Amino acid sequence: MRLKRKRGRKEKFEDLMDGIEEEEGGEGRNWEGGRGRAKKQRSNSSQGWDERKRKREKGKAKKPSRGKVKRVEKVGKRKMKKEKLLKEEQEVEKDQEGEKGVGSEEQRVGKGSGKGVEKEEEVDEKGNEGLGEGRSSEMGQEVKEEKDEGKGDTQVEEKKKKKKKKKPEVETEEMEKKSEEEETPGKTGKRKSKEGEEKKEEEKNNKKTKKQKEEEKEAENKWKWWEEEKKEDGIKWMQLEHRGPYFVPPYEPLPKDVQFYYDGKPLKLSLATEEIATFYAKMLDHEYTTKEIFQNNFFHDWRKEMTSEEQEIIKDLDKCDFGEIHKYFVDKNEARKALPKEEKQKLKEEADKIQEEYGYCILDGHREKIGNFKTEPPGLFRGRGEHPKMGMLKKRIMPEDVIINCSKDSKIPEPPEGHKWKEVRFDNTVTWLASWTENIQNTLKYIMLNPSSKLKGEKDWQKYEVARRLKDVVHTIRAQYRKDWKSKEIKKRQRAVALYFIDKLALRAGNEKEEGETADTVGCCSLRVEHIQLHPQLDGQEHVVEFDFLGKDSIRYYNKVSVEKPVFKNLQLFMKNKDPSDDLFEHLNTTFLNKHLQDLMDGLTAKVFRTYNASITLQEQLKALTNPEDNVAGKLLSYNRANRAVAILCNHQRSIPKTFARSMQVLQEKIDAKKKQVEEAQEEVKKAEDEFKDTKEAKAEVNVEKKKKLLKRLEEQLARMNIQATDKEENKQIALGTSKLNYLDPRITVAWCKKFGIPIEKVYNKTQREKFAWAIDMAGEDFEF
């Protein structure tokens, strides 16, 4: 029994040494061949030792594979220590003295790449295929040999042979690759670094956010109505079903500890009076409440809603103290902002539930989003510019004020309990779902479909197609109005001059004031003598007309324009013997002008000129300003400059935002910090280059490339920030959004993006992309307006 165990140990150790010798003999990882030779050597161990010595003497030994050597050494040391085979260990050490040594070789290989060994061992553990598994089998085999003396070694060796066969060929390839890397460490390091960066960049480009994936999914499910056949003229839909408008919740009274004070004394208000008081209190920190016209209109309408007792007491707005009410709503707003995430999520879910119920309709079998499904809340009218009705009370909309429009075969929406609709209609020649008349200007308000819907999209598409048709006849029209400047009829002359202003200055036609509007706003046809001044020479230009009037929404239009000489002379004629308040074009109105335009081209109105000039200006400016060599940020700056030219043409102004100065200051601080980072990076590059010159090491060369890439990235970031600052400054008083949404054919923008490789989301936000889905789908990079 004891002799058998000793013989087994010796054979085991010889087997391990065989593995090393196989590596030395250049056989690589031919596991099967190695095991076969091991069997033969076991039959004559002394002959095996002599053979190995002869090989070493001839100098045929080769470098062992680091993964195999490492594992063999571990197994050998453990077994030798455990079984105290001191004699054999000494022999091995003597044998290795003439070579580089397994230990030293292992260290050198390990420096090349430790990861390769770890990876191999990981594979061994997962697949039970490595020497670790073999070691366990061998240790267990010793016990088995003691028990089963008659069975011999044949079955054991066959099992070992099978396990060795399982070693994957991939491991051999990996080891060969690692060996190559050891021979050329500098080149390999650079290659790996480059490959790693390319892989990261690819992953970054391919990585899509959850939001982007949702958008793509929505786009796939989008109803491509533009690919369907158009309905006959006048018919907008065949089926329309919806839930009706969502009404604003009833007013909630103020807490008892929040009081209104009049002349320094608390005063309990009736519910209706209190609600209107809260409208004013909420606006105390707004400039509107400092304007006299706003204050007067508010107080006049507020008193009408008071009880007779309240009217007797409250007679002077200056004695009213809304401070506590204002503070209550400010605190309430802050508390809402400070809500825990869970509470905010609950509020969002409630809003989503309302949106799901009231925010969609069925249009011709398709689910379409509704734009404004909520009625306007009661409050104080603000208006734009210096509107004369600012501060007046906007009353609460009730179901009895609302007209419903749907299809006959649909389920008619139910009004709130205890109420009824003003009327239910089945009119498929209009696009609105519900309507009511608001009390400030007595104008109709509508619930319409979302801008991304079929009905809105069709209307936009048609509008831009009419403007495109104008391109074919605009030269004829211009020749005609130039000819009419010399007409014997004063009416034709006035029409020709007005049309020149509409064409060249993109002025609105005028006479478009809504019923009940009292603001002194004018357009081209309704200009008065006081709105223009004539300068034969001004600022080095001849025949200058100075415009100064309030346009739509009480926005001031101020411009100095050099006009053609016949226009200037006609204006002098029109103004002769007139008072400042007299009409400039007394023989002209929009009806007469538009009738003339219809004769020139079907569908042509003064507004079509505005759309045409805006779109053609954008297209020409983009061609002139876009540099194909610019980066994305530079091209976007060119786009915004082109858009700004259109906004100036159309007089799309805005007041400078209150936060502008602060936001510019923050941006400048970021720019200064980035400049400092760039300077530091430049110094780092210089240091790295000096180090490489001194050492000429591959590692130093890699470091130089790394520093240069960092510097380039920082310089690009700084350039983008500078462009952003320029863009912000140039646009501080210009509203780009109005022209982008209403006057510019979106296909021009889409074509520009596709031509110059600009992501469409850089120009259009999600809402705008939904609105212009038809343009994004149909326009190619060669589209011309």
Side-chain angles (χ1 to χ4, degrees), residues 371-385:
N372 54 329
F373 62 88
K374 294 181 179 180
T375 59
E376 291 181 5
L380 302 181
F381 179 72
R382 302 187 185 190
R384 295 185 185 178

Side-chain angles (χ1 to χ4, degrees), residues 10 34 54 57 75 79 85 102 161 243 255 273-274 308 394 439 443 446-447 484 512 563 622 627 632 655-656 693 712:
K10 187 174 181 180
R54 282 197 297 274
E57 288 168 3
V75 174
K79 291 178 75 65
L85 297 174
V102 176
K161 189 175 179 180
R243 285 294 309 272
T273 308
E274 182 185 275
S308 55
K394 285 196 303 179
N439 66 292
T443 55
Y446 298 99
I447 286 183
D484 288 343
E512 298 163 334
V563 299
L622 285 176
N627 182 358
V632 172
S655 57
I656 299 176
K693 285 178 184 177
K712 185 180 178 183

Side-chain angles (χ1 to χ4, degrees), residues 674-686:
K674 192 62 68 176
K675 282 180 180 177
K676 191 175 179 182
Q677 289 180 346
V678 169
E679 290 170 3
E680 290 172 355
Q682 287 171 341
E683 291 176 6
E684 289 291 326
V685 169
K686 192 174 182 305

Side-chain angles (χ1 to χ4, degrees), residues 398-502:
M398 303 300 289
E400 286 75 13
D401 303 320
V402 177
I403 299 172
I404 295 294
N405 189 35
C406 59
S407 54
K408 288 183 179 180
D409 58 347
S410 69
K411 183 182 178 183
I412 297 172
E414 293 287 335
E417 191 175 347
H419 295 274
K420 62 180 181 179
W421 303 121
K422 180 180 179 179
E423 185 185 344
V424 177
R425 294 184 187 174
F426 311 106
D427 186 358
N428 66 354
T429 63
V430 296
T431 58
W432 53 268
L433 284 65
S435 71
W436 61 88
T437 303
E438 56 88 23
N439 66 292
I440 301 292
Q441 300 183 96
N442 293 317
T443 55
L444 282 168
K445 296 286 184 179
Y446 298 99
I447 286 183
M448 310 282 281
L449 290 181
N450 188 274
S452 63
S453 66
K454 174 192 174 183
L455 297 182
K456 288 282 189 179
E458 277 184 335
K459 192 175 180 181
D460 282 345
W461 187 10
Q462 184 181 6
K463 175 177 71 176
Y464 294 119
E465 284 302 305
V466 172
R468 287 182 80 196
R469 285 196 286 114
L470 174 59
K471 182 176 64 173
D472 299 328
V473 297
V474 71
H475 298 296
T476 305
I477 293 171
R478 286 169 179 167
Q480 181 64 51
Y481 69 58
R482 280 186 167 84
K483 183 180 177 183
D484 288 343
W485 288 341
K486 299 176 181 179
S487 174
K488 293 180 180 180
E489 294 182 46
I490 191 71
K491 192 173 185 178
K492 281 188 177 180
R493 285 195 180 201
Q494 288 188 355
R495 183 185 69 193
V497 171
L499 193 51
Y500 170 80
F501 286 154
I502 288 169

Side-chain angles (χ1 to χ4, degrees), residues 563-709:
V563 299
E564 295 182 39
K565 189 175 180 180
V567 173
F568 191 83
K569 287 192 171 183
N570 272 308
L571 288 171
Q572 288 177 321
L573 177 65
F574 302 157
M575 295 173 70
K576 193 174 181 180
N577 300 323
K578 285 184 180 179
D579 293 329
S581 59
D582 290 341
D583 288 336
L584 181 65
F585 305 117
E586 71 274 16
H587 298 291
L588 187 65
N589 58 43
T590 50
T591 305
F592 175 66
L593 178 65
N594 283 329
K595 186 178 183 303
H596 172 65
L597 294 175
Q598 284 285 344
D599 294 338
L600 295 173
M601 189 190 92
D602 183 41
L604 182 61
T605 64
K607 189 174 182 180
V608 175
F609 265 101
R610 193 170 168 85
T611 304
Y612 165 76
N613 280 310
S615 293
I616 206 72
T617 299
L618 178 72
Q619 183 167 276
E620 290 170 353
Q621 288 290 308
L622 285 176
K623 286 180 180 178
L625 296 174
T626 306
N627 182 358
E629 303 301 319
D630 281 347
N631 57 18
V632 172
K635 288 172 183 171
L636 287 172
L637 178 62
S638 299
Y639 179 86
N640 284 341
R641 283 176 170 165
N643 193 356
R644 182 163 52 255
V646 175
I648 292 170
L649 174 71
C650 297
N651 195 42
H652 293 150
Q653 301 179 35
R654 65 171 182 172
S655 57
I656 299 176
K658 291 180 181 179
T659 58
F660 178 77
R662 176 59 186 155
S663 63
M664 283 299 289
Q665 182 185 346
V666 171
L667 182 56
Q668 189 58 50
E669 288 171 359
K670 289 181 179 178
I671 289 172
D672 293 340
K674 192 62 68 176
K675 282 180 180 177
K676 191 175 179 182
Q677 289 180 346
V678 169
E679 290 170 3
E680 290 172 355
Q682 287 171 341
E683 291 176 6
E684 289 291 326
V685 169
K686 192 174 182 305
K687 286 180 184 177
E689 287 176 337
D690 292 341
E691 184 184 348
F692 177 62
K693 285 178 184 177
D694 294 339
T695 63
K696 299 294 182 182
E697 290 181 356
K699 185 178 179 181
E701 186 180 4
V702 171
N703 190 41
V704 170
E705 293 300 318
K706 184 180 176 183
K707 297 294 182 185
K708 283 183 177 179
K709 283 183 180 179

